[in-house]
Amino acid sequence: KTLNPQWREQFDFHLYEERGGIIDITVWDKDAGKKDDFIGRCQVDLSTLSKEQTHKLEVPLEEGEGCLVLLVTLTASAVVTISDLSANSLEDQKEREEILKRYSPITMFHNIKDVGFLQVKVIRAEALMAADVTGKDSFNSFDSKSDPFCVVELNNDRLLTHTVYKNLNPEWNKIFTL
């Protein structure tokens, strides 16, 4: 119930030069029990920003009114990834060599804050509680399911698995490297 919201959220994205560098942002009005209303959209072209510097941007919303205020930093220091369990990054020889080189005794003091990495394997969940009641099925009983996803957070890094719909025993098989 405000026209001047403050979210103070942080999002970390992996930027690959061959995929371009445009961030699309849309703003919506959340309406409980009704369809959310579109407020506006904007784009940020990352190629116009300097690396290793925080930029305060005030981006006007197109197809709406107002502007979005963002702090954007392009940095090469983030080591946050999600991969499939079938492709364990530590089993990839090139990735393994890169990690060993980065944390070798010779280079370990180049960035004193970079103390290592953490790998979390999210395999599955079992016997979750039903969070959704979708109504009556063909047997005249309530069909209770959940649409679970898993969130892994460490400091300001937040990674999510994909959602497994209508399942109380989801399997994600993901590796989170922070």
Side-chain angles (χ1 to χ4, degrees), residues 14 24 27 34 76 78 89 92 98 112 118 150 156 160 168:
H14 294 282
D24 291 306
V27 181
K34 295 187 285 182
S89 62
D92 178 353
E98 185 74 27
I112 200 73
L118 169 70
C150 185
N156 285 329
L160 287 74
L168 299 179

Side-chain angles (χ1 to χ4, degrees), residues 34-175:
K34 295 187 285 182
K35 185 179 176 193
D36 297 336
D37 299 317
F38 176 79
I39 291 179
R41 73 170 30 104
C42 62
Q43 289 187 330
V44 176
D45 183 355
L46 299 176
S47 68
T48 64
L49 303 178
S50 306
K51 292 180 175 59
E52 304 301 335
Q53 177 183 345
T54 299
H55 302 271
K56 181 178 181 184
L57 306 176
E58 294 186 22
V59 187
L61 292 176
E62 300 167 10
E63 302 174 41
E65 294 180 20
C67 69
L68 202 55
V69 179
L70 308 166
L71 293 176
V72 179
T73 307
L74 298 176
T75 180
S77 62
V79 186
V80 180
T81 62
I82 304 174
S83 57
D84 288 317
L85 196 57
S86 60
N88 185 339
S89 62
L90 292 180
E91 292 173 2
D92 178 353
Q93 189 62 31
K94 186 176 179 184
E95 180 79 15
R96 185 175 180 81
E97 288 172 8
E98 185 74 27
I99 289 170
L100 290 172
K101 179 178 154 189
R102 184 174 184 159
Y103 299 110
S104 72
I106 296 169
T107 59
M108 67 191 302
F109 294 111
H110 283 109
N111 182 354
I112 200 73
K113 292 182 179 181
D114 189 357
V115 295
F117 70 98
L118 169 70
Q119 193 169 77
V120 178
K121 297 178 182 183
V122 180
I123 311 290
R124 66 179 177 274
E126 297 175 354
L128 296 177
M129 68 175 233
D132 299 331
V133 178
T134 59
K136 297 192 178 214
D137 63 16
S138 60
F139 298 104
N140 291 328
S141 63
F142 282 100
D143 181 23
S144 298
K145 295 282 184 185
S146 288
D147 301 324
F149 61 94
C150 185
V151 179
V152 175
E153 290 182 76
L154 177 65
N155 300 326
N156 285 329
D157 292 324
R158 183 173 196 245
L159 300 173
L160 287 74
T161 65
H162 61 281
T163 302
V164 179
Y165 293 95
K166 298 183 180 179
N167 196 320
L168 299 179
N169 299 293
E171 287 195 27
W172 293 289
N173 294 318
K174 294 292 178 192
I175 299 172

